[in-house]
Amino acid sequence: MEKDIPVIYGLEFQARALSAQIAELDTVRFFVGTQSLKLNNNQVHLVELNEETGNLKTQIFQHPIGEIWSIQASPTDPDKFITCYNTLTNEGICQMKGAIWKLFISQEMNDIIPLEKLADIDTTSYGNDLKNIAYHPIDNKKAVSVVDNNFVLWDLSYKPQVVTVGTLVGKGQPRFTSGKWNPHNTCNQFVTLNENNVQGWDFRDPKEPAWSIISAHSQIIRDLDFNTNRQYYLATCGDDGYMKFWDIRNLSEPVMSKIEHSHWVWSIRINHFHDQLVLTSSSDSRVILSSIASISSEPFGHTIPLEENVSISETCTKERLEDGIIGKYEEHEDSVYAVEWSSADPWTFASLSYDGRLVLNKVPRKYKYQILL
Amino acid sequence: MTLESCNSPYDLNGQNFDAEIYLQKLFKDYNLKQIMDHEVEIIHDTQTLHSDMQTLVYENYNKFISATDTVRKMKYDFNQMEESMDMLAKNMDSITSFSEQISSTLQSSRHQITRLSSVHSLLKKLQFLFKLPNKLKDRIKDENYSQAVQDYIHAQRVLNQYGNMPSFQGIQKDCEEIVDELKDKLRTQFHKREASTKLLAESIDLLLQLKEPTDVLCADFLIHADIRLSELLENLKDMCENDIIEFVDMGSSGFLSDLCLIVASYNDMFVNRPPLDTNEFSDDFDTKAVSRLNTFIMNNMKKYFDLVKKRVENVADTVILVRALDRFYRRLQAMNVLSEDTDFSRTGTEIVITAGRKQCRNHLSALKQYLSETLAKVRQTLASKVSSNGDGGLAELQALLVMPTIEKIKGILQDLLVFLQPELSFGLKPQFLQRFCIDEVREGLVIGFLHHLTAIANGFCTGLDAPKFPPTLLLLLSKMCLEFKDSNVHYLLSSTDNLFNVDEYASSKSDVTSEMEICDNFQKAAQELLNHFVRLQGLTVSQMLRKSIETRDWLHTIEPRTVRAVMKRVVEDITAIELQVTALYDDIDGQMDRSSDSSRKTHSVSRHQYRSNWSSFTPSHLDSSFVSSIHKLFSERIEIFSSVQFNKMSILTGIIKISLKTYLECVRLRTFSKFGLQQIQVDTHYLQLYLWRFVSDENLVHFLLDEILSSAVHRCLEPILMEPSVVDIICERN
């Protein structure tokens, strides 16, 4: 694939759930979960990009018990993932549930393969509004579910068992909108979002939030992401159209605050390898790739081993990436609710719009070389 | 003729002539004829010489004879004279002896007389001396100090000379005591507080004559003068409350003239003394005295300037201030004579400029104050009015915001113009004019205020949520900025430039902020405010819609009978916003007739269109995503949080866009039952009926509402839509 042509894959259903196959480090693969209210029609698509040819290979799995609102690939097992889905009870009431699934790769391309449900993660006793279930960043035996005003730590070793529960108390029935593990500090911290607040919790003492950013955004915060290479740094985005970067040691002010989208920003992802690259997706049907080199972990210019004197002139000319927009991707025609970096190739990312269009894009070569060289 | 030839033995007239050799040569050289001729020639020459000799002897003979006669006669005369000389010598001798006799007889009596007269003068002096102490006392008593000093100085030398004699010692002691007393008296006079400067100078002069150490005296003098001046300054300070002109006059007549007097007398006494005492006043002392005087002047002037500066800072009435400054400056120019090294007029100009600046600053802060007061007033009016009725006289409020401010600035400019009156003493200084007109009035006051205005305006744009002011204020301010940009900035700047001749004084264009820059700022501020207004209003409506969708249980809702109250509220709110916007912004040009009768027709047409669109949502054509995809293919991408234009349509379109997009996103997060969907159908239809007229492109509203409905269809468990006619009826009923 010589040119950076976006690869588009259309699903026949609407979709919001997207996850990279995190445990897979060689092939660019993404899980996509569909959202259809014909509940037994729902599917999980495993989309694989052949980096040589630029072609896509997909496998479709049956997810017959409800529409998928969130999907999370296991950090260690390529064939396992968790979905949060909406299903109807016998009384005709919608209910959000979670389950761990295992997939089997079949050689037959056109088949719709059934999935094996490994276990249910039953969160109904903590509330109905299950937002997401987040795998521990490295341990596939642990996951946290975010339900109503609770976040629940599960031990998945045998059967899912509750380890710790944290509850947000406050006036007017506060509800979490999302949550994420902090990958630093031996993963003891979980960060939740509710309305326009961000709160960090410590599992060892989940009664009170360890820290909070009250009114981080002026409206609802939709998503957050950690910088995996730089401790304490996290990014948030929300309905005010802003993306903000925070240093959790100093919560009074964001480190950086930018508005690039012309509507709500639904998702923000910092590249795990080159953390100056940030993706945001928005309901203005755009995906924007920005550079935040000024607060990235990457040092300004590389230190060169002495014997490579020859290349000095070259490396000296290397300029730090400017902060700002690197790419604007307008292949979508509906709101883009999810965007993810590939776990296999740091330059590839996928975005998913509500109309079921999955677009795989690459970081423009110019910037790629600028970062690498 | 060479020496050899002269000494040659052949030269007839030469010394070494040898006749023999000559003859031999002749015989050898010449032939006979020639020798014969030569002989004749020589004989002839000899004869001529002989006769010449005879004539000479004859002529001189007579002279010898007369000389002999004369010598004989002289011998006889000398004998006679010798006799008379002897006689004279004899007579002189007799005269000498007579005179010696006379003088010896008179000598004794003459000695007597000389002694007597010297005794007399001595006695007189003694008498003076003996009387001196009393006399001095009398003089001191009569306060005739100068005469006393004169007397003392007369006597002093004698006293000094004969001071070692016991009788004089007493007198000297007395005198010294008295003089010490005199000095004390003079000192006390000198130290007396109420002593006038002239009196002071006199005392100093006397003391100087009494040979007091000059150094100490001049220091003393200055210290004392200092005290006096600081008293005056104290008085002046107390006067600070009074009228400024009175203050300046007082300063001029009291402090400054006193200072002049002191300096003048100091110069007379210490610096420009007649050179008679040159020994005492060494050059060193001279320079020291001058420098001491200078520091004294500087110190006092500094204090005075400080005082004036302070006083001048706070004057409300510019006319009076200018008059006072004028007097002050005039007086200062006169003061320049005092000291050569310093130019008080520069400091004076400085003070005048500072006063001008201060005046400008005062005006500026008054303006700012006024502005914030007006703003507060407008805010108050808005807060109370907008809640009660629609447009709330926004246009009047707008005028209230702009016109008086402009008038106020004009008034201030007129007021400041007083500084430029040509007859003012400082008005001629170019440095004053330039700095005052450019830096203070134009840049400091006018531009400063305009910047302040944009800053205030921009200040309202920060912070999206929970504004502490009615959003209408943003609209007002935006309009205000626009008006400023369109006309007022130009008006203000050009009138300032005219009144204060800015073009003339500005050394380069870069010194003055250009009108363009200010206009740009205002344009930006206006845009920013309007965008912010749209976002705020959009947010308010959005919030309402979001709450209404999030809080409802859409799965268990009854069949819709009415439009939900929220929708009515939305339409009402938007209508209210429209009213406000109409008061300030036009529709798009040429579309003013939309609200008139012809619009009715458009309305019905639009409803027709709407119906035809509607059919795509009947249960038979449920694949509406296809329709919307087609639509998306052919319509432009809708920017939700985009910049709006300065007209009503654009503003309202912006607000409606934001609201409907929120509606859409919220619907997508919910799951609906059949009746829930139908409720949305009713609601969107209702919005369709009432929102189209606010926007410039009604397709936009159609499209967004279609999107909402189709999303709701997707999110519905049992997607069955209502009969369009029923929907119509429900909507009509409301």
Side-chain angles (χ1 to χ4, degrees):
Chain A
M1 195 169 115
E2 276 309 307
K3 281 186 184 169
D4 298 320
I5 306 170
V7 185
I8 299 177
Y9 173 67
L11 288 80
E12 49 195 304
F13 300 105
Q14 281 157 333
R16 292 178 178 263
L18 173 70
S19 171
Q21 194 179 23
I22 300 164
E24 174 60 63
L25 297 176
D26 297 324
T27 324
V28 176
R29 283 203 196 115
F30 291 96
F31 288 109
V32 184
T34 64
Q35 203 180 25
S36 163
L37 280 170
K38 287 169 192 154
L39 298 175
N40 45 11
N41 278 352
N42 283 293
Q43 300 164 340
V44 171
H45 293 227
L46 181 62
V47 181
E48 179 183 322
L49 174 72
N50 185 328
E51 287 189 82
E52 308 263 301
T53 61
N55 291 336
L56 289 177
K57 194 172 98 184
T58 48
Q59 278 189 312
I60 304 172
F61 303 92
Q62 196 69 38
H63 188 274
I65 53 171
E67 52 164 1
I68 302 167
W69 281 83
S70 126
I71 193 164
Q72 275 274 320
S74 154
T76 51
D77 305 320
D79 51 354
K80 284 183 190 160
F81 58 90
I82 292 178
T83 59
C84 298
Y85 58 91
N86 177 26
T87 187
L88 270 182
T89 59
N90 296 332
E91 297 88 50
I93 295 168
C94 282
Q95 194 154 41
M96 290 293 292
K97 288 187 173 171
I100 310 175
W101 305 85
K102 186 174 168 65
L103 54 84
F104 298 96
I105 306 291
S106 154
Q107 299 311 312
E108 297 287 327
M109 285 293 290
N110 295 328
D111 281 0
I112 295 183
I113 311 158
L115 288 166
E116 184 193 346
K117 190 204 267 186
L118 293 180
D120 278 314
I121 300 176
D122 188 7
T123 58
T124 40
S125 54
Y126 298 102
N128 185 33
D129 198 6
L130 174 64
K131 287 297 183 187
N132 66 337
I133 299 178
Y135 260 120
H136 186 283
I138 44 173
D139 185 354
N140 68 341
K141 297 282 182 283
K142 284 180 186 165
V144 172
S145 61
V146 181
V147 194
D148 276 2
N149 59 341
N150 305 306
F151 63 92
V152 187
L153 175 62
W154 298 82
D155 182 3
L156 309 175
S157 325
Y158 177 58
K159 270 190 92 177
Q161 276 190 320
V162 175
V163 182
T164 319
V165 181
T167 307
L168 177 69
V169 274
K171 314 185 270 191
Q173 293 178 317
R175 286 184 171 203
F176 290 127
T177 48
S178 187
K180 204 156 205 167
W181 290 80
N182 182 347
H184 301 287
N185 294 332
T186 65
C187 303
N188 272 319
Q189 222 178 54
F190 193 75
V191 179
T192 59
L193 302 176
N194 73 302
E195 282 291 328
N196 55 357
N197 310 317
V198 186
Q199 277 159 327
W201 306 77
D202 196 315
F203 287 118
R204 293 163 295 192
D205 181 23
K207 288 185 237 26
E208 289 278 317
W211 51 265
S212 22
I213 312 173
I214 302 300
S215 299
H217 286 252
S218 59
Q219 287 164 70
I220 292 181
I221 305 176
R222 294 285 170 184
D223 196 17
L224 83 159
D225 197 26
F226 275 92
N227 185 337
T228 47
N229 302 329
R230 197 168 182 193
Q231 219 179 346
Y232 309 120
Y233 275 71
L234 75 103
T236 57
C237 61
D239 282 6
D240 54 2
Y242 275 96
M243 56 167 157
K244 295 189 179 180
F245 297 87
W246 304 85
D247 180 339
I248 56 175
R249 292 163 299 184
N250 176 20
L251 301 168
S252 53
E253 291 249 333
V255 185
M256 192 192 278
S257 168
K258 297 176 119 189
I259 181 160
E260 311 281 11
H261 287 286
S262 69
H263 201 238
W264 306 350
V265 185
W266 283 80
S267 176
I268 186 162
R269 287 290 179 273
I270 302 175
N271 194 303
H272 287 198
F273 302 94
H274 305 287
D275 53 42
Q276 58 270 66
L277 299 173
V278 178
L279 283 171
T280 46
S281 74
S282 153
S283 37
D284 66 357
S285 17
R286 282 197 189 93
V287 174
I288 287 180
L289 173 61
S290 326
S291 155
I292 48 153
S294 62
I295 55 168
S296 80
S297 68
E298 206 129 315
F300 170 52
H302 291 281
T303 42
I304 324 138
L306 275 175
E307 56 270 23
E308 285 180 40
N309 278 337
V310 199
S311 64
I312 277 187
S313 58
E314 194 187 11
T315 38
C316 284
T317 56
K318 175 188 165 156
E319 280 169 26
R320 183 195 202 130
L321 218 53
E322 293 276 310
D323 283 6
I325 296 183
I326 290 180
K328 243 184 189 176
Y329 301 93
E330 314 212 338
E331 285 83 22
H332 293 286
E333 278 160 13
D334 205 334
S335 304
V336 189
Y337 294 130
V339 66
E340 287 288 349
W341 288 102
S342 162
S343 54
D345 174 23
W347 311 106
T348 307
F349 57 90
S351 53
L352 179 66
S353 57
Y354 189 62
D355 54 5
R357 181 179 293 182
L358 179 76
V359 180
L360 283 92
N361 264 306
K362 288 192 175 234
V363 176
R365 272 151 194 275
K366 183 181 147 202
Y367 297 104
K368 179 172 166 180
Y369 292 141
Q370 199 174 342
I371 291 169
L372 283 179
L373 295 178
Chain B
M1 188 193 259
T2 61
L3 190 72
E4 205 177 339
S5 69
C6 163
N7 291 338
S8 137
Y10 308 115
D11 184 9
L12 281 174
N13 299 323
Q15 254 175 337
N16 301 332
F17 178 70
D18 188 337
E20 272 316 307
I21 294 172
Y22 185 74
L23 275 179
Q24 275 170 17
K25 194 181 180 280
L26 273 181
F27 293 150
K28 241 188 252 174
D29 291 354
Y30 303 138
N31 55 19
L32 185 64
K33 172 92 170 79
Q34 278 172 321
I35 297 172
M36 297 277 281
D37 288 349
H38 197 70
E39 192 198 3
V40 174
E41 196 180 319
I42 292 175
I43 291 169
H44 179 73
D45 281 351
T46 319
Q47 278 173 349
T48 329
L49 285 172
H50 197 79
S51 67
D52 280 353
M53 218 154 62
Q54 273 181 339
T55 341
L56 279 174
V57 170
Y58 182 76
E59 274 175 2
N60 285 322
Y61 186 75
N62 279 340
K63 285 177 188 165
F64 280 122
I65 292 170
S66 64
T68 320
D69 284 352
T70 315
V71 170
R72 198 175 295 139
K73 206 177 170 191
M74 272 167 71
K75 228 184 211 168
Y76 176 76
D77 287 349
F78 273 123
N79 279 337
Q80 269 188 332
M81 258 164 74
E82 211 171 327
E83 279 168 25
S84 9
M85 280 307 285
D86 282 345
M87 276 264 282
L88 180 67
K90 223 183 273 166
N91 287 344
M92 282 306 288
D93 276 349
S94 66
I95 289 168
T96 317
S97 64
F98 274 127
S99 91
E100 263 169 15
Q101 259 177 359
I102 292 164
S103 68
S104 65
T105 41
L106 284 181
Q107 200 162 22
S108 62
S109 58
R110 205 172 54 210
H111 268 297
Q112 201 99 24
I113 289 166
T114 322
R115 224 184 56 221
L116 281 174
S117 78
S118 75
V119 165
H120 177 73
S121 75
L122 201 62
L123 282 175
K124 231 179 175 179
K125 277 183 190 164
L126 279 177
Q127 192 187 15
F128 176 72
L129 280 181
F130 285 124
K131 272 189 189 163
L132 186 63
N134 288 328
K135 213 161 146 194
L136 285 177
K137 265 181 200 158
D138 286 349
R139 294 260 152 90
I140 289 169
K141 211 184 266 171
D142 300 344
E143 300 199 335
N144 193 352
Y145 299 124
S146 59
Q147 197 54 50
V149 172
Q150 290 289 337
D151 290 350
Y152 174 69
I153 285 170
H154 272 306
Q156 198 179 28
R157 207 169 333 126
V158 185
L159 284 174
N160 278 346
Q161 206 173 345
Y162 300 103
N164 48 358
M165 288 185 184
S167 51
F168 286 118
Q169 257 171 13
I171 297 169
Q172 191 177 17
K173 231 166 96 191
D174 281 356
C175 280
E176 271 167 6
E177 271 167 21
I178 291 166
V179 167
D180 280 345
E181 195 188 327
L182 174 64
K183 283 180 186 169
D184 282 346
K185 269 240 167 86
L186 284 172
R187 281 230 180 78
T188 48
Q189 188 179 4
F190 178 74
H191 286 295
K192 247 191 271 172
R193 301 196 135 234
E194 63 272 15
S196 74
T197 314
K198 206 164 155 201
L199 214 64
L200 208 67
E202 243 176 54
S203 324
I204 288 286
D205 194 36
L206 292 181
L207 280 171
L208 267 180
Q209 285 184 24
L210 289 176
K211 305 239 162 52
E212 281 293 283
T214 349
D215 216 29
V216 178
L217 269 182
C218 78
D220 244 23
F221 177 74
L222 287 183
I223 287 168
H224 184 72
D226 221 28
I227 293 168
R228 273 186 53 76
L229 288 178
S230 48
E231 258 171 44
L232 281 172
L233 282 175
E234 280 299 319
N235 285 347
L236 264 184
K237 212 179 266 176
D238 295 341
M239 288 276 293
C240 268
E241 302 303 313
N242 292 20
D243 182 50
I244 176 139
I245 293 191
E246 217 173 292
F247 173 82
V248 170
D249 283 351
M250 174 85 171
S252 305
S253 62
F255 176 80
L256 287 182
S257 47
D258 232 40
L259 183 64
C260 284
L261 202 61
I262 286 168
V263 170
S265 48
Y266 184 92
N267 277 335
D268 284 352
M269 282 186 291
F270 300 108
V271 184
N272 303 331
R273 275 190 86 81
L276 140 139
D277 298 332
T278 30
N279 303 340
E280 290 158 75
F281 292 94
S282 57
D283 287 347
D284 181 42
F285 172 78
D286 226 24
T287 49
K288 234 161 69 187
V290 169
S291 74
R292 198 178 271 170
L293 177 68
N294 276 344
T295 47
F296 168 77
I297 295 173
M298 286 339 297
N299 280 341
N300 279 294
M301 284 310 274
K302 196 173 155 298
K303 280 184 208 155
Y304 178 62
F305 284 144
D306 284 349
L307 207 61
V308 172
K309 249 184 231 166
K310 223 167 86 192
R311 177 65 186 92
V312 152
E313 267 176 15
N314 229 331
V315 182
D317 192 338
T318 318
V319 181
I320 289 178
L321 172 69
V322 168
R323 215 183 307 151
L325 283 174
D326 183 37
R327 287 193 193 183
F328 165 73
Y329 193 75
R330 250 179 240 280
R331 187 73 180 87
L332 261 193
Q333 276 177 324
M335 283 289 290
N336 255 346
V337 194
L338 273 191
S339 172
E340 296 121 3
D341 307 342
T342 48
D343 188 4
F344 288 119
S345 72
R346 187 173 313 139
T347 327
T349 319
E350 213 50 56
I351 286 183
V352 172
I353 289 174
T354 320
R357 178 183 308 143
K358 190 73 197 169
Q359 199 65 12
C360 288
R361 298 263 158 89
N362 286 346
H363 278 308
L364 183 60
S365 60
L367 264 181
K368 286 180 179 172
Q369 174 87 19
Y370 175 77
L371 182 71
S372 68
E373 274 167 17
T374 328
L375 268 180
K377 209 168 16 174
V378 168
R379 271 165 78 160
Q380 233 168 18
T381 330
L382 278 179
S384 59
K385 258 192 184 171
V386 166
S387 51
S388 56
N389 68 328
D391 99 330
L394 282 183
E396 290 91 82
L397 274 181
Q398 164 72 19
L400 181 73
L401 204 54
V402 179
M403 289 328 289
T405 315
I406 298 287
E407 287 304 318
K408 196 126 181 141
I409 298 175
K410 261 163 70 183
I412 285 169
L413 287 181
Q414 286 298 339
D415 190 33
L416 288 176
L417 217 51
V418 182
F419 272 100
L420 294 191
Q421 286 165 356
E423 69 270 18
L424 293 182
S425 49
F426 50 79
L428 294 171
K429 292 271 167 182
Q431 79 209 66
F432 166 75
L433 285 178
Q434 190 176 345
R435 284 181 54 184
F436 180 74
C437 293
I438 305 276
D439 296 353
E440 307 308 340
V441 175
R442 191 179 194 275
E443 297 297 308
L445 183 73
V446 180
I447 300 285
F449 179 70
L450 293 177
H451 275 310
H452 175 74
L453 206 57
T454 43
I456 289 264
N458 283 326
F460 281 102
C461 292
T462 49
L464 248 184
D465 49 342
K468 293 169 193 72
F469 47 87
T472 327
L473 185 66
L474 292 175
L475 203 62
L476 267 181
L477 286 174
S478 162
K479 182 70 180 172
M480 178 192 81
C481 287
L482 213 57
E483 272 187 18
F484 264 94
K485 178 218 141 200
D486 284 341
S487 57
N488 294 336
V489 169
H490 175 74
Y491 172 72
L492 281 178
L493 286 186
S494 57
S495 55
T496 312
D497 289 0
N498 282 340
L499 288 176
F500 290 88
N501 303 325
V502 167
D503 294 335
E504 187 184 323
Y505 299 127
S507 48
S508 69
K509 280 282 170 220
S510 56
D511 283 359
V512 289
T513 319
S514 74
E515 193 185 313
M516 282 269 285
E517 191 186 324
I518 299 293
C519 283
D520 274 2
N521 282 347
F522 273 104
Q523 169 80 33
K524 265 183 225 151
Q527 184 71 58
E528 201 60 29
L529 283 164
L530 199 61
N531 288 349
H532 197 63
F533 171 75
V534 167
R535 278 191 79 162
L536 269 184
Q537 295 288 24
L539 193 67
T540 325
V541 179
S542 290
Q543 218 76 308
M544 219 149 57
L545 285 166
R546 188 158 76 89
K547 281 272 137 51
S548 82
I549 296 200
E550 277 177 357
T551 51
R552 195 168 172 124
D553 180 3
W554 292 98
L555 281 172
H556 303 95
T557 178
I558 50 156
E559 189 171 4
R561 305 227 176 277
T562 60
V563 177
R564 280 187 303 143
V566 182
M567 296 302 150
K568 293 180 191 163
R569 183 72 201 284
V570 166
V571 173
E572 277 166 18
D573 276 12
I574 291 181
T575 316
I577 294 169
E578 190 215 5
L579 262 174
Q580 294 172 359
V581 176
T582 319
L584 296 176
Y585 284 97
D586 296 335
D587 293 18
I588 309 170
D589 301 318
Q591 296 220 353
M592 288 297 280
D593 57 342
R594 275 184 75 108
S595 54
S596 64
D597 276 346
S598 63
S599 73
R600 292 257 168 248
K601 225 182 279 172
T602 339
H603 189 176
S604 57
V605 168
S606 98
R607 274 168 81 179
H608 264 299
Q609 274 180 337
Y610 191 55
R611 271 206 190 104
S612 60
N613 267 348
W614 201 247
S615 60
S616 63
F617 291 109
T618 51
S620 55
H621 290 82
L622 252 182
D623 195 8
S624 63
S625 66
F626 175 71
V627 177
S628 84
S629 305
I630 295 286
H631 192 125
K632 279 178 198 165
L633 271 181
F634 293 104
S635 63
E636 275 179 33
R637 201 181 275 270
I638 300 169
E639 296 291 341
I640 304 299
F641 296 159
S642 57
S643 238
V644 294
Q645 285 151 3
F646 294 102
N647 63 55
K648 189 180 90 181
M649 286 298 172
S650 179
I651 294 167
L652 287 168
T653 308
I655 296 169
I656 290 171
K657 259 192 325 196
I658 293 175
S659 313
L660 292 185
K661 181 73 176 175
T662 307
Y663 196 180
L664 173 67
E665 293 296 339
C666 290
V667 163
R668 285 180 173 183
L669 288 172
R670 305 287 297 184
T671 311
F672 297 89
S673 67
K674 182 177 92 183
F675 292 142
L677 170 67
Q678 290 178 353
Q679 182 68 62
I680 297 290
Q681 190 188 358
V682 170
D683 292 349
T684 48
H685 187 74
Y686 179 80
L687 289 180
Q688 175 72 50
L689 285 180
Y690 289 94
L691 290 186
W692 66 270
R693 61 193 175 92
F694 297 120
V695 298
S696 45
D697 176 15
E698 48 185 296
N699 283 329
L700 187 86
V701 176
H702 287 205
F703 170 68
L704 281 169
L705 289 171
D706 282 357
E707 278 282 289
I708 293 168
L709 192 60
S710 71
S711 289
V713 169
H714 275 294
R715 298 299 311 152
C716 182
L717 291 168
E718 195 186 349
I720 300 165
L721 286 167
M722 226 178 210
E723 274 301 309
S725 54
V726 183
V727 176
D728 257 352
I729 292 165
I730 294 176
C731 289
E732 294 278 294
R733 225 178 24 216
N734 287 279

